[in-house]
Amino acid sequence: MNRQRIWAVAYKEWREIVRDRLFFTLAFVVPALLMLLFGYGLSLDVEDIPLAIVDYDHSVESRDYAYRFIDSRYFAFQGYVNNEQALGAMLASSHIRAAIIIPPQFGQRLQAGQASTVQTLVDGTFPFRAMTAKGYVTALNAAANQDTLARLLAQAKGVSLTQARQMIQPVKLEVRYLYNQSVKSIWSLAPKLLMVILMISPPFLTALGVVREKESGSIFNIYSATVSRGEFLAGKLAPYVVISSLNILILWLLAVGLFDAPFKGSWLFFMLASLIYVICTTGIGLLVSVAVRTQVAAMIVTAIVTVIPAVLYSGVLIPIPSLGPTAQLIAHLLPAMYYTNIVVGCFLKGVGFSALWPDMLVLAGYATTLFSIGYLMFHKRPNT
Amino acid sequence: MTSHDILIWSRRMLVMTRKEFLQLLRDGVLLIFIAYAFTADIYLAASGVSLQLNQAATRVLDQDRSGASRELLGRFQAPYFRIDGALASSREGQQLLDEGRAMLTLDIPPQFEHDLQRGQPTAIQMQIDATNSVLGFLASSYAAQIVGGFGLEAGLHQAGLSGGRLTDLPVIENRSRVWYNPNQNDAWFMGITELLTVITVFAVLLPAAAMVREKERGTVEQLLVSPLSPFQIMFPKVISMTVVILLGSGLSLFAVLMPAFDLPARGSLVAFFGLTALYVFTTAGLGLFAATLARNLAQVGMLTILILAPMLFLSGAWTPPEAMPVWLRDMMYVSPLHYYIDIAFGLLLKGQSLRALLPTIGGMLLLGAVVFGFGLYRFRRQFG
């Protein structure tokens, strides 16, 4: 590999990028803007679930019970409704996502010391939201029962309410949320957004690098030049790696400065690992560019192999162990999962090289493999 | 306009549409990827990805080793929890959590059973890896239910209240019913969401790329000196893409989602395909708008990410709109996907009637007219 020839290719590519002012601007604006939009908007916290209540009983007990939901910050009360038919229509139109139906004689039964049944309807269109909503309902319901039972016990045994409460709640669950003490979703999200954005944006930067020259015919200059395959590919990749490295810095600053994500690990290690990751993701774009014949195909292929896997198979929303076997295989085949371990490790866990070197090694291997495949697929003589 | 004019007009449209189809069919790589996206990609997402707490890797430090501790641990079960074995020390637990090999640890104190039997309060420690805040929250809420239920039974038994039988006490039983997806089958949600994602990616990218390609190669000049109106140049591109996307959607519904995952498709499928066509037109308008801003495909690539990524992840399938800041929620009213999500889930899962969907359809129509009209206006001004 001749360094001068790599430099020449890289310089030519760099000039082309810089001259295209809109493209050059977008190369920096797109990642930063995505970070801002997702950072503020991509909250997975399920709160303020719109809820309606049908109260067939109209007793003191039923109103007390309803108020537990109306007062809760997990639900946004949309009003009392007269009957179940009306609820159905509201659920269908997504006007509400959950509903409580309190039966007649609810209060009477409770006063007579009997159990009573309440029904909750949950919109299951989005299963994970439905599960969370059900969880809230169960928790509020359990709290109501504990209050009732504690009062009962206090009367029956002649003890104080606090004592009675302790008797029916003998076991406390003390939860410690590691790495993210306040369970703020933005803390755990911001580092992973780095991963997602650096998976989406760099491949699009590179995807057209080679195929554009193929379509315009300027690739023939390369075919007839003394530059070797490896030199050409390295030179093509270099400017995009530089741009993406600057983006790493910008995104890191936004995550730490704007979203207050804690960064506990080694900065140097993180930047080195990020650089390798960016070589991987720009490499994906370059490989696509070598493999296809038209720019349109290059863009579609890049979109399909990056945008969707960046979210589904990377561990940003779904932890890898919860994936099915095939999905786990895909996850292991992509660089995103390994980098997720690194960002989470460096930001939230404060672990460093000693724990994360295997992931970094895989990324390095990945970059090498990508470059080798690109090298093998790129021929200086087009098949005609 | 005479009948002769209409004849010429439609013949021109026909010829141009045919040209677009030919161009598409000749790009083999592109076709393969379109086929992949509508079949294998959707199958993988639906079969392998779940957003629920699933088999959370749990490690246990049982310092009591009593009947009570075993009874409690026995309640941490699949599908939510999976006990992976015992820990020798809390340090080992910390290490497993750091390395991501365990998601949570439970720590039962010595004398747990002893304390329970003597009516003394006791506590269980639980450490959760909260790097994924949603799952961390779900894990703690399920654990709280388990421990609360266990404690209540033990407490009532201890207090001698009705022999610990809950049904004889004035408790409220809350029965949840989940509508539309009673088993919270993630495959339905993931499958439909993935289909919408793929449709959206193609609907924005394909027409934008087709348009810019003509610009880049200078063929648009040829088209403009021909007797074709801007509309006749633009619209056939959208028609051909719409046909391809509709065929792909049909494939994924009838060949993947319905046979492999028993997607109920409760509403009218005719309406679904009709509205999908409308959605593709609307979204294509966004792509065409991007195409008028860009001079080459590289620019279009970056611009479409800027449009696609927020659209896909903030329109309401992944993140509950209730949890988004108001300004962002308002912004999503201009995302066609925001309406299409309601339509697609309404027709495929809820079995809503067209009449019930009318406001949503109206919103999308209005948006489509504005977006498409604006795209055409920009195109006219650039080339008219």
Side-chain angles (χ1 to χ4, degrees):
Chain A
M1 292 249 258
N2 183 324
R3 224 182 302 160
Q4 218 174 347
R5 284 201 291 256
I6 297 178
W7 174 253
V9 176
Y11 184 68
K12 175 200 152 254
E13 190 72 16
W14 178 256
R15 297 292 302 174
E16 260 184 64
I17 299 168
V18 176
R19 281 206 185 136
D20 189 343
R21 270 210 220 123
L22 181 62
F23 181 69
F24 188 66
T25 318
L26 287 173
F28 295 100
V29 168
V30 169
L33 217 57
L34 290 186
M35 186 81 184
L36 292 178
L37 275 173
F38 289 159
Y40 285 116
L42 198 67
S43 159
L44 292 172
D45 302 327
V46 182
E47 275 178 25
D48 297 325
I49 303 163
L51 166 103
I53 297 175
V54 178
D55 183 357
Y56 287 124
D57 191 34
H58 297 293
S59 63
V60 181
E61 286 82 5
S62 74
R63 238 178 326 246
D64 279 352
Y65 187 72
Y67 260 94
R68 287 180 181 270
F69 292 87
I70 297 169
D71 277 346
S72 154
R73 73 187 167 100
Y74 299 123
F75 294 99
F77 183 56
Q78 306 290 313
Y80 282 105
V81 177
N82 287 328
N83 55 49
E84 283 164 69
Q85 281 76 36
L87 279 185
M90 287 168 89
L91 269 173
S93 64
S94 309
H95 196 73
I96 54 168
R97 299 257 180 221
I100 310 253
I101 303 161
I102 303 174
Q105 271 123 45
F106 172 81
Q108 246 176 350
R109 286 182 64 93
L110 287 181
Q111 282 200 327
Q114 290 169 317
S116 188
T117 311
V118 168
Q119 214 173 44
T120 305
L121 304 179
V122 181
D123 176 354
T125 322
F126 306 100
F128 110 90
R129 255 187 264 178
M131 295 302 283
T132 318
K134 259 169 79 174
Y136 294 148
V137 171
T138 312
L140 289 173
N141 187 65
N145 282 334
Q146 260 160 12
D147 284 354
T148 321
L149 291 176
R151 235 177 293 132
L152 208 70
L153 200 61
Q155 275 168 11
K157 301 257 159 180
V159 293
S160 78
L161 205 59
T162 340
Q163 272 173 313
R165 213 178 276 277
Q166 211 170 61
M167 284 170 79
I168 54 165
Q169 268 176 291
V171 190
K172 240 171 72 183
L173 182 71
E174 286 169 1
V175 180
R176 259 188 70 205
Y177 295 100
L178 295 176
Y179 318 124
N180 187 0
Q181 278 75 3
S182 45
V183 210
K184 275 189 193 164
S185 73
I186 184 61
W187 274 25
S188 64
L189 199 63
K192 290 178 186 166
L193 283 180
L194 247 82
M195 179 279 299
V196 172
I197 294 168
L198 291 175
M199 179 83 195
I200 294 177
S201 175
F204 267 89
L205 289 178
T206 3
L208 302 181
V210 178
V211 73
R212 181 172 50 212
E213 301 214 19
K214 282 197 221 166
E215 252 189 7
S216 73
S218 63
I219 194 83
F220 286 101
N221 299 333
I222 300 298
Y223 292 155
S224 57
T226 51
V227 60
S228 75
R229 292 191 273 171
E231 289 161 3
F232 174 68
L233 292 178
K236 271 278 175 195
L237 199 62
Y240 299 106
V241 173
V242 171
I243 292 178
S244 302
S245 307
L246 286 174
N247 278 326
I248 299 174
L249 276 179
I250 297 172
L251 293 177
W252 183 85
L253 282 173
L254 285 174
V256 173
L258 193 65
F259 295 125
D260 290 323
F263 186 83
K264 299 175 182 162
S266 145
W267 197 80
L268 215 63
F269 168 75
F270 174 72
M271 285 298 155
L272 183 68
S274 301
L275 182 68
I276 299 176
Y277 176 62
V278 159
I279 294 176
C280 289
T281 57
T282 43
I284 292 176
L286 191 73
L287 189 63
V288 170
S289 204
V290 169
V292 301
R293 276 188 307 123
T294 62
Q295 295 191 70
V296 180
M299 280 185 3
I300 293 288
V301 174
T302 310
I304 299 294
V305 301
T306 59
V307 178
I308 293 165
V311 173
L312 291 189
Y313 308 111
S314 61
V316 58
L317 296 177
I318 308 122
I320 308 292
S322 303
L323 294 175
T326 332
Q328 282 208 24
L329 184 72
I330 301 177
H332 282 83
L333 288 176
L334 293 164
M337 181 190 92
Y338 306 98
Y339 188 60
T340 306
N341 289 341
I342 293 176
V343 281
V344 169
C346 285
F347 271 87
L348 301 171
K349 295 187 177 176
V351 292
F353 186 79
S354 54
L356 296 170
W357 66 266
D359 293 295
M360 193 156 108
L361 199 69
V362 175
L363 285 183
Y366 201 90
T368 321
T369 313
L370 276 177
F371 197 76
S372 311
I373 299 177
Y375 181 78
L376 292 175
M377 283 178 76
F378 181 66
H379 297 288
K380 284 199 58 172
R381 202 170 303 168
N383 333 317
T384 36
Chain B
M1 214 197 243
T2 67
S3 65
H4 182 68
D5 290 339
I6 293 175
L7 195 71
I8 291 184
W9 189 88
S10 39
R11 194 175 293 158
R12 281 178 185 157
M13 288 295 275
L14 216 65
V15 170
M16 287 300 286
T17 311
R18 187 160 168 267
K19 161 194 167 276
E20 295 298 336
F21 272 116
L22 275 178
Q23 228 164 1
L24 210 63
L25 289 177
R26 285 197 183 141
D27 199 336
V29 179
L30 184 61
L31 285 180
I32 290 172
F33 259 81
I34 292 177
Y36 165 81
F38 277 107
T39 52
D41 182 65
I42 287 170
Y43 179 83
L44 287 174
S47 63
V49 179
S50 157
L51 268 173
Q52 295 173 20
L53 185 71
N54 187 9
Q55 306 272 347
T58 308
R59 293 290 183 133
V60 181
L61 184 62
D62 183 356
Q63 302 181 65
D64 195 33
R65 295 180 184 277
S66 60
S69 72
R70 268 195 298 277
E71 155 75 16
L72 174 60
L73 289 172
R75 297 187 184 197
F76 282 82
Q77 274 180 355
Y80 306 134
F81 300 100
R82 183 190 69 218
I83 302 219
D84 278 349
L87 292 167
S89 66
S90 58
R91 248 202 35 223
E92 190 194 353
Q94 184 69 42
Q95 198 180 347
L96 288 171
L97 286 163
D98 273 348
E99 288 167 9
R101 290 200 287 151
M103 187 185 160
L104 43 106
T105 64
L106 289 167
D107 185 348
I108 299 178
Q111 316 250 306
F112 176 68
E113 191 177 58
H114 183 79
D115 285 345
L116 269 185
Q117 277 168 358
R118 300 191 38 195
Q120 273 168 359
T122 173
I124 290 170
Q125 323 286 328
M126 179 172 170
Q127 305 209 67
I128 304 178
D129 174 352
T131 47
N132 185 316
S133 56
V134 175
L135 294 179
F137 177 81
L138 281 179
S140 79
S141 108
Y142 292 137
Q145 275 173 43
I146 291 172
V147 174
F150 173 84
L152 191 62
E153 280 173 36
L156 288 179
H157 187 76
Q158 201 60 34
L161 209 62
S162 65
R165 273 182 47 205
L166 274 176
T167 36
D168 299 340
L169 290 167
V171 291
I172 303 160
E173 192 197 347
N174 194 313
R175 288 203 191 129
S176 291
R177 276 204 302 161
V178 176
W179 278 19
Y180 312 126
N181 190 352
N183 302 318
Q184 281 126 82
N185 182 347
D186 269 310
W188 294 353
F189 168 72
M190 283 308 306
I192 296 175
T193 306
E194 191 68 4
L195 176 61
L196 304 192
T197 305
V198 171
I199 290 175
T200 309
V201 168
F202 284 122
V204 176
L205 212 48
L206 281 177
M211 202 67 232
V212 170
R213 180 170 50 191
E214 307 251 16
K215 251 177 156 180
E216 207 176 2
R217 291 188 172 176
T219 42
V220 76
E221 316 282 332
Q222 285 174 20
L223 291 174
L224 286 168
V225 293
S226 69
L228 297 165
S229 67
F231 180 79
Q232 281 171 320
I233 297 172
M234 243 171 82
F235 205 62
K237 291 186 193 304
V238 179
I239 293 178
S240 66
M241 308 307 167
T242 310
V243 171
V244 169
I245 291 172
L246 285 182
L247 285 175
S249 314
L251 196 66
S252 67
L253 264 187
F254 297 119
V256 180
L257 290 175
M258 284 160 71
F261 301 104
D262 300 315
L263 185 83
R266 296 190 180 101
S268 150
L269 284 177
V270 178
F272 173 73
F273 284 107
L275 290 167
T276 301
L278 183 68
Y279 171 68
V280 175
F281 276 115
T282 311
T283 316
L286 283 176
L288 290 171
F289 171 60
T292 62
L293 292 177
R295 263 184 302 117
N296 54 48
L297 275 153
Q299 293 177 356
V300 150
M302 294 309 278
L303 280 174
T304 44
I305 303 184
L306 206 53
I307 298 173
L308 269 178
M311 227 174 119
L312 289 177
F313 301 123
L314 302 178
S315 283
W318 294 109
T319 57
E322 297 92 46
M324 296 203 312
V326 177
W327 59 271
L328 205 61
R329 217 185 315 170
D330 290 344
M331 253 172 76
M332 283 304 127
Y333 284 113
V334 302
S335 156
L337 185 55
H338 176 84
Y339 305 93
Y340 185 54
I341 285 175
D342 280 350
I343 292 171
F345 280 100
L347 287 173
L348 294 177
L349 270 193
K350 295 184 177 176
Q352 273 186 288
S353 65
L354 272 180
R355 180 196 284 272
L357 284 170
L358 222 50
T360 318
I361 298 170
M364 194 163 83
L365 253 176
L366 188 72
L367 184 68
V370 172
V371 169
F372 206 87
F374 188 65
L376 193 64
Y377 161 80
R378 292 259 328 163
F379 185 73
R380 275 222 178 93
R381 238 181 42 155
Q382 215 164 34
F383 294 103

